[in-house]
Amino acid sequence: MLYFSSLSTFLLLLLLYPPPLSAQEVLVRLAGVGRRNANEGRLEVLYNGAWGTVCDDEVDLNLANVVCRQMGFQRGFTWAHSARFGEGQGLIWLDNVRCTGREVSIADCRSNGWGINDCTHAEDLGVICSPERMPGFPPVSLEDHPPSSRQQSRQRNSPQSVSPPAPPPAPASIASSSARGHEIALRRNATTSRRSNISPQENGHEIQILRRSRGGSRPGSQAGSALPQGHQLPPRLANGGSYRQRQETARNSLRREAGGQADRRTQSQAQHQSERRSDRNQHLSGNHIEPDPVNPDVGQDFDAHYTQGQTSASLEEVRLRPVLSRNQGGLVTEGVLEVKHAGRWRHVCSHGWDLSSSRVACGMLGYPAAEAFDQNAYRKLWDSKLSDPSSRLRTQTSKKAYWVEKVQCQGVEVSLSQCPVQLSNPRSDVPCRGGMHAVVRCVPGSQFTRNGRAPAPPAVPPVVRLKAGPRIGEGRVEVLVEGKWGTVCDHLWDVSAASVVCRELGFGTAKEALTRAQLGQGTGPIHMNSVQCAGRERSITECHYRPVPLYTCKHSQDVAVRCNVPHTGLQATVRLAGGREASEGRVEVLMEVRGERRWGSVCSENWGLNEAMVVCRQLGLGFASRAHQETWYWPGSSDASELVLSGTHCIGTEMSIQQCRRNTNIYCPRGGDGRAAGVTCVETAPDLVLDAQLVQETAYLEDRPLHLLTCANEENCLSSSAARMNWPYGHRRLLRFSSRIMNLGRADFQPRASRESWTWHQCHRHYHSIEVFTHYDLLTFNGTKVAEGHKASFCLEDTYCPDGIQKRYACYNMGQQGISVGCWDTYRHDIDCQWIDITDIRPGEYIFQVEVNPSLDMAESDFQNNVMRCRCKYDGARVYVFGCHAGDAYSAEVEDLFDHQQQISNNFL
């Protein structure tokens, strides 16, 4: 009787819980309301004889591709969430479905398991497939009954259609089984005979997580079918060597039954995976939950996310949702934190979240620091929404996919992806129990706190700066040591040190730590090498570093940074219209006109490169290569025909064109439309720098007869008093010198005018490609100009290039003019106009100044280093030139001393 009773129970369980279907037997179809074509609709799956829907959690385009191909469409276009094609009825078969895109059937994708979900039909998934059908599949129409994948398969294999051979079914040993859920069994009453055959580690309760196979039978499957399906309790909470030995024996016997080349490949993979698991878990003892590694990838993912909890999950992006706070000048500095993981935004649980983690999140958002604040208002709002039965938040927060359970940072990390992260708590069914979403308040840098106005000068003079960067928060790093600006050598330079620099300058953490002068070479001394920062330093000068011995590091090793910058919204207030590319066009700005904000054009009166640079940087497009004062060839937008900005004057450091000085009332004599302002932006630009040492070493006086200065006088290279002299008798006293101009930027320097537009000078018998290339001035200490000279560019060429750089520009035979990156153009002291006429100057002390590209006609990445200044002492018969340096080489305090004292050292290149 006992035998028949057990047999009847077994048969009853078989009837109630039939064996699982294989991947080839799981059918899919499209149904629902609001369908325009047969290739779109609510996704339904046939499993165990019943149609059910799929939840839209964690769905991506890979799933759409798999099910569309399963139904005979070529690919998936997109997917629709929140019951876009109406709510289904009955079961919800699948939730959190994750496909790679290579699966044959949706049953091969990973999921929570059949029938395991936390969704309602309001979250039913819809799919939109491409209308094109795969070869061998018949066409379908919306009027027809939506065919299932089985019906289409039958039609495809009928004699009337020619189809490619169907892919072989996946072997049982390699079929992905995570979509079947996990079987967990608890055996409390093992037989005495069994207990005598197992190791002491396996005594007590055995808990086993079994992945059910769809592709074939497993040893003991007949017995297993009598157990309940879904989340069950069959044998295994022992992890000892005897258990793994039995499991490996079972797998080997399964492979021998399956046979074939595919099983031989699978055997080697499973053995390799088993060895890795044995090595990893050999130190474990006692009760250990270990998944069956039928699919190695799934097993690893399961261990990382559920067994261990701690993971190196990549939190790709962060953002703040301003639930209660208001924006500060367009900035969102406070709100609920959201992080993106695997392409989906999640909330972070407040358990374990602290100010150190907030500091890291704020750094990713472009803010240098975070601050603590009272979060009671957020807790009240959270509790009120959870208590509202109609609140969607109440449903969402019950899902583990909504949360990142725990993030713990030390505060020195550059990104949250470097912090220990726990996506979910395997010991708790309720995610973030008793907590709420993490809330963060960031402290913006001083340059972002003036509500749209130009940044105020810093209260404390900075000791670090960024030079020659194409965008805000980018540039070559320069530090101030003993009043001199210098660069940093790239040995051991990393993102931690770069983040200290970025925070010091009012930005967030560093996105990149650049080496090998990737943003251009600097000049002057190299102050630091082997910089190593812990991450909490307030300045790079507090980090550990080594001084740089002379000639041990070159400027080709200068470091640079790219910092995280907060989203200010300024980029949305300017645009370019009509250009052939996104980087050029007519400038249109959003301004407040008569009490309302509207788009309009900009008057081109006094429009120059400084203004164009501000626009390009505001748009994130790099440097300005041209500032256009005529844009008739670029049509403007229909809603921006009115002039809304005139009299614009920018220094070049503004963060938006709206921050520049402008007319209160619109005044534009040139008119708008075809004469509106325009720009052309580029990613790289040249950077011209004068060799100060050569000027100092070659300066001397010459009394030159007038009859040798006829051509120079025609080019206005002499003082105005020369016109009152009795030509050709007499002489002029000239301060002569050589100048060498180097291009240290990242693009070649070329004249703006083409060869057809160059000016011919008959007396000197040469062309001028740039009418005024340099200014030479003699100034008093209060800045009054007492003498001046200028030099036209009659020959702009590569006079010298270092080894490894080929000369590209030469003046011979009216060749192309310019200066290549890394090359020099030298003007010798003995050519005409390479002087200052000081005939009328009284003896005394002066400032000798040379400025390259004075009218800013040609674009450069940095205009601040175009000026060179020297002290000059003239006693009536001799001249002494000393203390020559680039104009931005010293701090403001030291530069002030330079104007009034003689004790200043040289700053040579």
Side-chain angles (χ1 to χ4, degrees):
M1 289 295 294
L2 181 60
Y3 170 78
F4 287 108
S5 176
S6 301
L7 182 60
S8 61
T9 303
F10 176 74
L11 293 174
L12 179 61
L13 288 174
L14 275 180
L15 291 173
L16 292 176
Y17 301 97
L21 295 172
S22 70
Q24 301 296 325
E25 295 177 292
V26 174
L27 311 180
V28 292
R29 71 181 180 187
L30 298 179
V33 297
R35 301 170 62 203
R36 295 168 296 181
N37 297 292
N39 61 315
E40 63 181 32
R42 181 179 62 249
L43 179 62
E44 295 187 353
V45 183
L46 178 65
Y47 178 72
N48 274 354
W51 288 98
T53 61
V54 179
C55 187
D56 61 10
D57 291 344
E58 297 194 15
V59 172
D60 57 18
L61 191 59
N62 287 333
L63 170 61
N65 284 327
V66 170
V67 297
C68 288
R69 288 198 302 266
Q70 188 176 352
M71 291 183 290
F73 298 101
Q74 288 190 2
R75 63 187 182 279
F77 269 170
T78 186
W79 54 275
H81 59 83
S82 304
R84 162 68 176 79
F85 297 101
E87 297 184 9
Q89 302 292 329
L91 298 170
I92 299 176
W93 273 128
L94 294 172
D95 186 16
N96 295 329
V97 183
R98 295 176 292 278
C99 303
T100 64
R102 298 184 295 272
E103 295 85 354
V104 177
S105 166
I106 189 176
D108 294 328
C109 301
R110 295 162 50 201
S111 69
N112 290 353
W114 292 100
I116 302 171
N117 67 85
D118 55 1
C119 303
T120 66
H121 280 294
E123 301 170 77
D124 282 346
L125 174 68
V127 172
I128 301 175
C129 304
S130 66
E132 299 85 8
R133 304 284 288 167
M134 294 173 60
F137 284 86
V140 293
S141 62
L142 191 60
E143 289 75 16
D144 299 335
H145 183 74
S148 67
S149 57
R150 173 180 288 173
Q151 292 170 334
Q152 295 184 24
S153 178
R154 290 188 188 130
Q155 295 173 7
R156 179 188 59 179
N157 295 327
S158 64
Q160 288 79 5
S161 62
V162 179
S163 63
S173 58
I174 63 172
S176 174
S177 28
S178 61
R180 297 286 174 168
H182 311 303
E183 298 177 359
I184 305 176
L186 177 64
R187 288 194 175 180
R188 302 177 183 271
N189 300 318
T191 62
T192 305
S193 61
R194 167 166 167 70
R195 285 186 178 276
S196 64
N197 294 329
I198 62 177
S199 65
Q201 291 178 337
E202 297 184 18
N203 285 314
H205 301 313
E206 295 181 45
I207 298 179
Q208 181 178 8
I209 302 179
L210 276 178
R211 305 279 172 88
R212 287 194 294 277
S213 172
R214 295 184 299 273
S217 62
R218 297 179 54 159
S221 61
Q222 288 83 359
S225 63
L227 295 173
Q229 296 189 13
H231 282 263
Q232 305 180 9
L233 294 173
R236 159 179 146 257
L237 195 129
N239 84 313
S242 61
Y243 166 73
R244 280 193 293 272
Q245 184 177 2
R246 293 197 312 274
Q247 289 295 101
E248 188 63 29
T249 302
R251 292 190 196 98
N252 290 337
S253 64
L254 178 61
R255 295 188 191 103
R256 287 194 297 271
E257 292 175 10
Q261 184 179 4
D263 291 331
R264 287 195 296 273
R265 288 196 305 268
T266 305
Q267 180 178 4
S268 63
Q269 294 173 0
Q271 287 175 350
H272 177 64
Q273 177 68 14
S274 177
E275 291 171 2
R276 287 194 300 171
R277 286 191 178 275
S278 299
D279 294 338
R280 187 186 66 184
N281 296 325
Q282 61 183 355
H283 64 283
L284 299 174
S285 61
N287 295 337
H288 171 63
I289 302 177
E290 181 182 42
D292 184 359
V294 174
N295 186 326
D297 295 335
V298 175
Q300 291 169 8
D301 183 77
F302 179 84
D303 280 346
H305 287 271
Y306 297 100
T307 304
Q308 298 174 5
Q310 297 294 335
T311 152
S312 58
S314 175
L315 303 184
E316 307 155 6
E317 299 177 46
V318 297
R319 67 184 182 188
L320 292 182
R321 187 175 296 277
V323 178
L324 295 176
S325 62
R326 59 182 180 87
N327 296 356
Q328 297 184 9
L331 296 178
V332 178
T333 58
E334 176 187 319
V336 175
L337 180 70
E338 296 180 353
V339 299
K340 180 179 280 190
H341 170 67
R344 178 167 182 166
W345 288 101
R346 298 175 178 231
H347 283 189
V348 179
C349 182
S350 59
H351 291 323
W353 186 267
D354 56 14
L355 194 60
S356 294
S357 301
S358 294
R359 183 175 189 263
V360 178
C362 289
M364 295 177 67
L365 291 167
Y367 302 109
E371 63 181 356
F373 65 103
D374 187 5
Q375 300 185 12
N376 286 335
Y378 288 92
R379 169 57 76 173
K380 291 179 180 179
L381 180 62
W382 175 266
D383 292 340
S384 65
K385 287 192 175 182
L386 289 186
S387 61
D388 184 3
S390 62
S391 173
R392 188 181 179 188
L393 181 66
R394 187 173 183 178
T395 304
Q396 291 176 327
T397 54
S398 63
K399 301 178 181 180
K400 289 193 174 184
Y402 179 83
W403 293 101
V404 172
E405 191 74 26
K406 185 176 290 186
V407 179
Q408 290 182 312
C409 303
Q410 298 179 2
V412 299
E413 297 86 352
V414 174
S415 168
L416 291 179
S417 61
Q418 298 179 351
C419 304
V421 175
Q422 188 177 24
L423 292 180
S424 62
N425 186 358
R427 298 184 179 88
S428 175
D429 294 334
V430 180
C432 195
R433 186 187 297 272
M436 67 172 190
H437 43 41
V439 183
V440 174
R441 176 184 287 177
C442 301
V443 180
S446 59
Q447 66 269 47
F448 300 106
T449 58
R450 292 181 50 86
N451 297 325
R453 293 175 292 167
V460 179
V463 296
V464 63
R465 69 184 182 185
L466 300 183
K467 299 285 283 184
R471 297 171 185 82
I472 297 173
E474 299 181 6
R476 180 179 61 251
V477 178
E478 297 189 356
V479 293
L480 187 67
V481 177
E482 297 179 353
K484 300 178 183 179
W485 288 103
T487 60
V488 179
C489 197
D490 61 6
H491 182 239
L492 299 182
W493 182 252
D494 60 10
V495 73
S496 296
S499 293
V500 172
V501 171
C502 290
R503 291 186 190 273
E504 183 178 359
L505 292 169
F507 304 111
T509 50
K511 292 187 289 188
E512 290 183 82
L514 304 175
T515 58
R516 304 183 65 83
Q518 291 186 47
L519 294 186
Q521 298 184 27
T523 59
I526 302 174
H527 287 316
M528 294 181 176
N529 192 16
S530 304
V531 179
Q532 293 179 287
C533 303
R536 284 283 186 181
E537 295 86 352
R538 291 173 297 178
S539 172
I540 189 177
T541 57
E542 298 177 5
C543 299
H544 176 74
Y545 66 92
R546 295 179 180 178
V548 182
L550 200 60
Y551 307 121
T552 60
C553 194
K554 301 179 180 179
H555 281 296
S556 59
Q557 298 170 265
D558 288 344
V559 304
V561 297
R562 288 193 175 103
C563 305
N564 285 311
V565 179
H567 179 69
T568 60
L570 296 176
Q571 187 173 348
T573 62
V574 64
R575 66 191 184 192
L576 302 182
R580 295 164 297 179
E581 301 175 357
S583 58
E584 66 179 14
R586 182 181 298 185
V587 178
E588 297 177 348
V589 295
L590 185 63
M591 301 288 293
E592 185 169 330
V593 179
R594 294 184 290 275
E596 63 176 349
R597 290 166 63 84
R598 65 175 63 178
W599 287 96
S601 57
V602 180
C603 179
S604 61
E605 193 83 25
N606 300 321
W607 183 258
L609 271 178
N610 267 342
E611 291 73 29
M613 285 283 187
V614 172
V615 169
C616 291
R617 188 167 55 245
Q618 183 179 353
L619 288 168
L621 297 176
F623 305 105
S625 64
R626 291 288 299 271
H628 301 271
Q629 293 189 348
E630 291 188 4
T631 55
W632 50 267
Y633 39 83
W634 286 335
S637 303
S638 58
D639 61 339
S641 57
E642 182 182 357
L643 275 171
V644 295
L645 192 61
S646 67
T648 310
H649 178 75
C650 302
I651 300 174
T653 59
E654 296 87 352
M655 298 178 64
S656 73
I657 191 67
Q658 289 88 347
Q659 293 177 356
C660 299
R661 285 190 302 164
R662 61 180 186 271
N663 292 339
T664 304
N665 299 315
I666 303 299
Y667 175 71
C668 188
R670 290 175 56 87
D673 199 18
R675 294 179 179 270
V679 297
T680 299
C681 305
V682 291
E683 182 66 24
T684 59
D687 186 17
L688 299 185
V689 180
L690 269 163
D691 186 346
Q693 182 177 359
L694 183 64
V695 173
Q696 179 170 306
E697 292 175 350
T698 58
Y700 65 96
L701 289 181
E702 179 190 10
D703 290 337
R704 192 164 183 82
L706 285 180
H707 70 274
L708 299 178
L709 297 174
T710 304
C711 289
N713 188 50
E714 288 185 9
E715 293 190 16
N716 296 319
C717 294
L718 301 176
S719 301
S720 57
S721 62
R724 298 189 295 271
M725 296 187 67
N726 185 21
W727 286 77
Y729 307 106
H731 67 273
R732 304 296 294 181
R733 176 158 292 182
L734 308 176
L735 171 58
R736 307 197 71 146
F737 55 91
S738 297
S739 64
R740 183 165 55 194
I741 300 165
M742 293 173 287
N743 180 9
L744 298 181
R746 299 165 59 207
D748 293 351
F749 181 86
Q750 293 181 284
R752 189 174 69 176
S754 60
R755 273 186 289 192
E756 296 77 13
S757 305
W758 293 352
T759 304
W760 173 258
H761 282 254
Q762 181 64 31
C763 189
H764 278 135
R765 304 289 298 176
H766 60 226
Y767 284 96
H768 285 179
S769 57
I770 303 173
E771 195 61 35
V772 180
F773 182 51
T774 52
H775 272 174
Y776 309 138
D777 298 317
L778 204 62
L779 312 173
T780 63
F781 285 157
N782 63 6
T784 303
K785 187 183 300 184
V786 294
E788 65 177 339
H790 71 273
K791 181 65 181 176
S793 171
F794 72 88
C795 179
L796 201 63
E797 67 177 2
D798 294 331
T799 307
Y800 170 78
C801 293
D803 293 339
I805 301 178
Q806 184 70 30
K807 292 183 179 181
R808 299 181 55 192
Y809 302 101
C811 300
Y812 176 74
N813 198 21
M814 200 183 176
Q816 184 64 38
Q817 295 191 20
I819 307 176
S820 301
V821 175
C823 297
W824 306 345
D825 181 25
T826 303
Y827 285 87
R828 289 174 51 88
H829 58 86
D830 54 359
I831 63 176
D832 267 2
C833 299
Q834 190 61 34
W835 63 61
I836 296 180
D837 184 357
I838 62 170
T839 305
D840 305 323
I841 301 303
R842 296 178 181 178
E845 293 192 24
Y846 299 94
I847 301 294
F848 174 37
Q849 178 173 292
V850 179
E851 184 176 6
V852 182
N853 191 16
S855 55
L856 307 184
D857 285 333
M858 282 70 63
E860 295 185 55
S861 60
D862 185 8
F863 292 120
Q864 303 300 316
N865 57 7
N866 285 14
V867 179
M868 184 222 66
R869 307 180 78 215
C870 305
R871 289 289 296 270
C872 178
K873 186 175 182 179
Y874 174 51
D875 63 4
R878 293 167 298 179
V879 66
Y880 303 92
V881 176
F882 56 95
C884 295
H885 63 280
D888 64 341
Y890 292 95
S891 65
E893 293 79 6
V894 175
E895 194 67 34
D896 184 64
L897 291 176
F898 172 80
D899 290 338
H900 300 90
Q901 298 182 13
Q902 298 181 11
Q903 290 81 12
I904 185 169
S905 61
N906 294 323
N907 184 68
F908 294 146
L909 298 172

